[in-house]
Amino acid sequence: MNPPAERLIHTAAGPARITTPAPRATWWDLAARDPDTAVTQIPTWLDCLCETGPYRDASRLYTFPDGSRIVLPLAGRGRRPRYLDAEESWPAGWGVGGPLASGEVTPEQARALFDDLAHRPALRVGVRFRPQGAGLWQRAAPGTFRLEPHMTQAVDLDGGFGALWQQRFHTRVRRDVKRAEKACLDVEVDRTGRLVPVFQELYDRSIERWAAQQHEPLALARWRRRREFPTGRLAAVAARFGGSCAVWVARHAGEPAASIVVLRHGPHAKFWRAAMNRDVAHPVRATPLLYRLAIEEACEQGCQIFDLGESAPGSSLEHFKAGFGAVGRSSPRYWRERLPVSSAERGLRTVVKRAIRFRDA
């Protein structure tokens, strides 16, 4: 890894010093100070990204005259010329990134960050902001950055699991969980990576199901899904997160039915991935049971938020998560490109979808 480089820029908030990559000690310090730090904003997440994909650490530390500091987690594409680089927080499929701060960010500081990113030589720069404080960044974003709306759903764990179960879990969810309990499922949770192969097997089955639902050739579905979530990625995450990565597995009559992966940092728990053998899992409602158990454990561990990840408004996935008391919150992405590469990519995907009569799930 190259040593950090520093430079001075002049901003409306005064002269600011930029250090890149951001020193890890400072990044971890801000992650501990910022109460809204998400699992996907810590250095471990970037390490997992770099280990399992063609990425490099491009994080940036902004230090202002009053001593306040902002760290922007950022990943660049490895081994690309600067004019073809993409610097993002984060790349597609890696969730919420965005800045961490030692205190309240001022409008001048927010504009300084955007001004710096606007002058980066990379072909594309994008930042996906967390819901907390998103309004500040929206007001600071210049016209050169485009808004891409996103929504995340999260369960507020205030009041404990008893209150969630009685007051906020939907009747259909409680009914499904009780049905699963009567089915006498065997549930196991592992924090060593031992159950990663079980999850991977179920994920491969899920790809087959998704391909059939979407009228997508299986070979194309496998290529696309494994490009997004390659074999070995979960093992890398489990190894780096250690006890903070829980792999839950439910079995029926000895056969793996469903599995979910939950990560944790401080008071934040995050559902990350799910997979199932629908023929086994659906009749006994294995997946709702795993969600219920994971949320209950997060409450017992003192977590304040259970992040269920991104959903499309009005989708069946949004409806499913809302059954556990999850509330949708805006998590916008702002990005800019020097050439319209993304538009060309979207156009190509549209042509392919039409050719194979793809059905969005």
Side-chain angles (χ1 to χ4, degrees), residues 22 58-62 70-74 89 98-100 113 117 127:
S59 57
R60 301 175 78 75
L61 166 65
Y62 301 84
I70 299 175
V71 162
L72 177 63
L74 204 64
S89 181
L100 307 175
L113 185 144
L117 295 180
V127 179

Side-chain angles (χ1 to χ4, degrees), residues 17-246:
R17 187 173 72 252
I18 300 176
T19 307
T20 183
R24 288 303 177 89
T26 304
W27 188 347
W28 278 115
D29 180 55
L30 294 190
R33 292 170 180 263
D34 190 331
D36 295 322
T37 300
V39 175
T40 53
Q41 289 182 292
I42 62 176
T44 309
W45 195 243
L46 176 60
D47 291 338
C48 294
L49 178 61
C50 294
E51 180 179 341
T52 60
Y55 300 101
R56 58 179 174 79
D57 183 353
S59 57
R60 301 175 78 75
L61 166 65
Y62 301 84
T63 306
F64 294 93
D66 62 358
S68 58
R69 299 168 297 170
I70 299 175
V71 162
L72 177 63
L74 204 64
R77 299 285 294 191
R79 299 180 181 179
R80 276 192 182 182
R82 295 173 69 185
Y83 60 90
L84 293 178
D85 197 4
E87 295 182 341
E88 298 176 284
S89 181
W90 295 112
W94 281 87
V96 171
L100 307 175
S102 56
E104 186 175 352
V105 178
T106 68
E108 293 78 14
Q109 291 170 347
R111 286 196 295 270
L113 185 144
F114 269 116
D115 288 344
D116 172 56
L117 295 180
H119 290 89
R120 295 295 301 149
L123 173 64
R124 180 171 65 242
V125 175
V127 179
R128 172 86 180 276
F129 292 91
R130 66 194 184 192
Q132 302 91 334
L136 168 71
W137 299 100
Q138 180 177 0
R139 291 187 293 272
T144 51
F145 279 77
R146 299 181 184 181
L147 167 63
E148 185 178 278
H150 289 269
M151 182 186 75
T152 62
Q153 288 179 266
V155 182
D156 185 344
L157 304 182
D158 185 45
F161 182 74
L164 282 173
W165 175 261
Q166 293 294 336
Q167 302 170 19
R168 294 166 61 191
F169 275 31
H170 193 276
T171 302
R172 63 177 167 79
V173 170
R174 294 199 300 268
R175 183 174 60 246
D176 285 348
V177 168
K178 290 175 182 178
R179 181 172 173 177
E181 291 172 341
K182 290 180 181 178
C184 299
L185 294 168
D186 294 321
V187 177
E188 188 177 9
V189 58
D190 171 62
R191 306 176 206 281
T192 68
R194 179 175 53 83
L195 292 179
V196 167
V198 179
F199 179 93
Q200 198 64 54
E201 178 184 350
L202 289 170
Y203 186 76
D204 290 342
R205 285 180 173 268
S206 296
I207 293 175
E208 297 174 5
R209 185 179 77 255
W210 295 329
Q213 289 174 345
Q214 295 169 164
H215 197 265
E216 183 179 11
L218 182 56
L220 176 61
R222 284 173 173 161
W223 174 83
R224 190 168 61 85
R225 296 285 183 173
R226 287 172 180 167
R227 185 168 178 260
E228 172 195 344
F229 185 64
T231 302
R233 179 160 291 173
L234 177 55
V237 169
R240 288 189 176 273
F241 273 83
S244 296
C245 174

Side-chain angles (χ1 to χ4, degrees), residues 239-271:
R240 288 189 176 273
F241 273 83
S244 296
C245 174
V247 181
W248 294 78
V249 172
R251 293 182 173 87
H252 184 242
E255 186 173 358
S259 180
I260 65 172
V261 180
V262 178
L263 309 174
R264 182 186 172 191
H265 170 72
H268 293 258
K270 176 179 174 55
F271 159 83

